[in-house]
Amino acid sequence: MVDDPELKGGRLDASVLKKEDLLDYSEGDRIINISIIGAGYIGLTAAVVFASKGHQVICVDTNKVKVDQINQASSPIREVNLDDLLSTCVNVKKNLRAYSDYNETINSDIVFICVETPSKTNGEIDLTYIRNSAKEIGQALAKANAYHVVVVKSTVVPGTTEGVIIPILEEYSLRKVGKDFGVAMVPEFLQEGNALHCFLNPDRIIIGEYDYRTGDMLQEIYNDFSSPILRTDIRTAEMIKYAANAFLATKVSFINEIGNMCRKLGIDTYEVAKGIGSDRRIGNKFLDAGIGFGGPCLPKDLEALINRARELDCETELLQSVSNVNKKQPLKLIEIARKRLGNLSNKKITVLGLAFKPNTGDVRQGSSLKIITQLLQEGAIVKVYDPWAMANAKQIFSGSIEFCDNVLDAIAGSDCIIIATEWDEFKDESLYNGKTVIDGRRILNPQKAKQLCQYYEGICW
Ligand code: UDX
């Protein structure tokens, strides 16, 4: 926590500031000038949504290729409806522009930090990009002559905004938080593949504010979203994001552990999930058993939270188990394959799906990658197909597996088909007629599949 005598309950009360302490701020403006730092999934989605709501938006990214793409209205990431909305903002409304220079942020009322927070090899959060952007924003703030609000949207472990980001902003701007500029932490809960919809319709908006004035300003931006707004202090907001992702991860590992047992007992986990999910205290979401959770957030955030707990000397037996279950889960498919095919050496195995989930080309921490790596270690000959994720997977497995142009080529001549991502085009039952199929995502109806396939087995059913 920043050492500030005026902090009350973790937040600064704007009423303690004298009018002359405050730099010029035109309150109540309908169109807000917004800067977004980092044009990844969250940054670009935020930029496009705010611009489509009529605000004046600039995106800053150090990657010049991305900057050019955005200015040509071509999205560097693949998301449903993103290209269309980006094109409207860039070409028609002309209120969204990308730059690689932080100085462009000077004219913004609000700067959102949306840069990546990757993991180090020990699971600890890597704050390199966060530190760099705080420094650059601080330098830009030093030249600004209006009140700015800096909003952290990147996922950072509790204590980071106050312990790392604010000190850097103050050092490089030579200005005082809560007086010359405001700071807030507004976590983002969007899901890839549905980014725009999630951003526009969040279940809740969390505004973690250093001071009430900052919170009020953000509330103005979010008022035309129809979601409830919860205002907290900064570190509570940081923790809400981690706790949410850790809880989602826990649900998935829980149902997978139950599912592993169900398979051995001849019970369908999906029936069990339906049965427990209709209890409103449990809820029916995030109970799809399968090969585990992947993606750029859930696994990384879980490890970062465990690591932060270790620093605080707190035990995380539950969270550690959630992580362990998830690491083993994709390999259960390989066990089933071995049981069916024996030694996997020189067996031709098709993996359908590389993305960590459908409707994204993102393969980061995907369960498919773990399955392919293990298959290769056991000497299998691997063919793959994914509608969107081939280019990303080629960067990892180029030369060691066969990338097929379509699903039919991928399954031709294969000893076994592994379904790893639930893309719609893999739901066509006729693809699997007479084949050996191991389903990691419950894409097929097990009863029908057992009749249709030469052999069909699901991971948890
Ligand atoms: C997640 C959080 O949902 C989101 O709130 C946060 O902002 C970022 O992290 P995302 O990474 O896009 O979003 O993916 P999500 O839809 O949550 O799925 C994560 C993984 O869990 C996927 O691999 C998915 O296949 C798996 N999953 C999800 C299951 O295995 N079973 C389920 O029931 C749900």
Side-chain angles (χ1 to χ4, degrees):
M1 181 77 68
V2 171
D3 183 22
D4 192 323
E6 289 165 341
L7 273 182
K8 303 265 182 323
R11 274 181 273 176
L12 185 75
D13 186 345
S15 61
V16 302
L17 296 175
K18 292 184 220 80
K19 194 84 186 145
E20 55 272 27
D21 283 333
L22 304 174
L23 293 170
D24 180 32
Y25 162 54
S26 46
E27 209 160 359
D29 279 348
R30 273 298 298 135
I31 295 177
I32 298 174
N33 291 313
I34 296 174
S35 287
I36 309 276
I37 313 298
Y41 272 95
I42 294 182
L44 191 57
T45 305
V48 166
V49 168
F50 287 136
S52 68
K53 282 181 176 283
H55 300 300
Q56 200 65 39
V57 179
I58 66 162
C59 262
V60 178
D61 199 291
T62 46
N63 182 332
K64 290 205 168 73
V65 178
K66 262 191 192 177
V67 167
D68 289 344
Q69 279 178 295
I70 294 168
N71 289 333
Q72 284 156 21
S74 157
S75 170
I77 56 166
R78 206 159 172 181
E79 268 296 331
V80 180
N81 295 331
L82 189 59
D83 269 323
D84 286 350
L85 219 49
L86 179 64
S87 172
T88 308
C89 298
V90 172
N91 298 325
V92 184
K93 293 182 177 237
K94 297 191 190 298
N95 62 350
L96 171 58
R97 188 113 198 110
Y99 300 91
S100 51
D101 186 350
Y102 278 76
N103 278 322
E104 300 293 337
T105 61
I106 288 175
N107 298 320
S108 299
D109 304 304
I110 304 186
V111 181
F112 284 88
I113 301 180
C114 300
V115 297
E116 256 190 282
T117 48
S119 297
K120 295 184 187 169
T121 39
N122 63 358
E124 195 189 325
I125 183 170
D126 181 349
L127 294 175
T128 311
Y129 301 128
I130 286 277
R131 287 178 200 277
N132 287 348
S133 28
K135 181 178 155 192
E136 298 272 4
I137 294 167
Q139 285 168 343
L141 280 178
K143 295 174 218 154
N145 51 14
Y147 186 85
H148 289 260
V149 164
V150 180
V151 181
V152 180
K153 233 180 190 320
S154 304
T155 302
V156 290
V157 290
T160 308
T161 302
E162 289 155 305
V164 178
I165 299 174
I166 291 178
I168 297 177
L169 290 170
E170 288 188 329
E171 182 189 343
Y172 286 90
S173 66
L174 300 174
R175 293 181 184 205
K176 183 86 185 82
V177 66
K179 177 170 149 312
D180 305 323
F181 66 94
V183 170
M185 199 280 152
V186 178
E188 180 51 55
F189 302 97
L190 67 77
Q191 290 176 276
E192 280 187 27
N194 202 14
L196 283 167
H197 178 80
C198 289
F199 196 97
L200 278 160
N201 305 284
D203 288 340
R204 75 306 203 186
I205 292 160
I206 308 290
I207 300 180
E209 59 206 38
Y210 181 85
D211 53 283
Y212 292 115
R213 181 189 187 194
T214 298
D216 291 348
M217 198 162 160
L218 281 168
Q219 181 135 12
E220 191 194 334
I221 278 206
Y222 283 110
N223 261 345
D224 62 344
F225 286 64
S226 57
S227 314
I229 295 178
L230 175 64
R231 288 173 64 168
T232 70
D233 64 20
I234 286 183
R235 58 177 55 196
T236 305
E238 290 170 330
M239 186 49 124
I240 287 170
K241 169 70 191 204
Y242 276 95
N245 273 0
F247 191 73
L248 294 172
T250 303
K251 284 190 97 172
V252 176
S253 276
F254 170 83
I255 200 66
N256 284 341
E257 191 163 279
I258 296 287
N260 293 336
M261 217 189 299
C262 283
R263 186 170 68 82
K264 300 222 164 167
L265 290 165
I267 297 169
D268 183 349
T269 322
Y270 276 71
E271 291 283 304
V272 175
K274 210 169 162 188
I276 62 171
S278 43
D279 181 331
R280 274 174 295 174
R281 291 169 304 171
I282 296 173
N284 59 9
K285 301 271 172 19
F286 264 71
L287 288 177
D288 290 343
I291 49 176
F293 57 84
C297 298
L298 255 50
K300 166 186 79 88
D301 293 350
L302 184 63
E303 297 308 321
L305 189 58
I306 292 171
N307 203 76
R308 183 76 181 111
R310 204 175 292 129
E311 287 168 4
L312 298 167
D313 212 13
C314 288
E315 285 185 4
T316 49
E317 286 177 58
L318 174 66
L319 299 181
Q320 192 57 63
S321 302
V322 170
S323 167
N324 293 344
V325 169
N326 196 56
K327 282 179 187 143
K328 289 184 194 157
Q329 194 63 14
L331 305 180
K332 303 272 174 205
L333 270 194
I334 312 264
E335 275 172 33
I336 300 173
R338 260 192 243 114
K339 190 183 82 182
R340 174 69 184 166
L341 304 174
N343 189 326
L344 298 182
S345 180
N346 287 322
K347 298 283 173 4
K348 291 182 195 133
I349 301 189
T350 300
V351 176
L352 292 184
L354 297 161
F356 78 95
K357 64 175 189 176
N359 300 320
T360 174
D362 199 337
V363 298
R364 285 176 287 175
Q365 299 286 323
S367 302
S368 301
L369 306 191
K370 295 175 198 160
I371 292 167
I372 294 168
T373 305
Q374 183 62 28
L375 288 171
L376 291 175
Q377 263 171 27
E378 298 195 22
I381 300 161
V382 181
K383 289 164 82 172
V384 299
Y385 170 70
D386 185 288
W388 288 12
M390 301 288 261
N392 286 332
K394 277 181 188 163
Q395 292 178 15
I396 302 167
F397 292 114
S398 176
S400 53
I401 60 177
E402 187 185 339
F403 289 89
C404 300
D405 291 336
N406 55 59
V407 65
L408 288 176
D409 284 356
I411 61 178
S414 179
D415 294 316
C416 173
I417 301 168
I418 286 177
I419 304 173
T421 313
E422 62 274 38
W423 284 102
D424 277 348
E425 69 173 282
F426 302 157
K427 290 181 183 162
D428 177 359
E429 288 167 351
S430 66
L431 291 170
Y432 308 105
N433 210 340
K435 310 270 185 198
T436 293
V437 178
I438 306 174
D439 188 351
R441 293 292 185 189
R442 177 48 172 267
I443 200 168
L444 302 176
N445 175 308
Q447 275 76 42
K448 279 198 201 160
K450 276 183 180 145
Q451 286 170 0
L452 187 79
C453 303
Q454 188 193 54
Y455 172 88
Y456 171 86
E457 189 148 356
I459 185 167
C460 292
W461 49 92

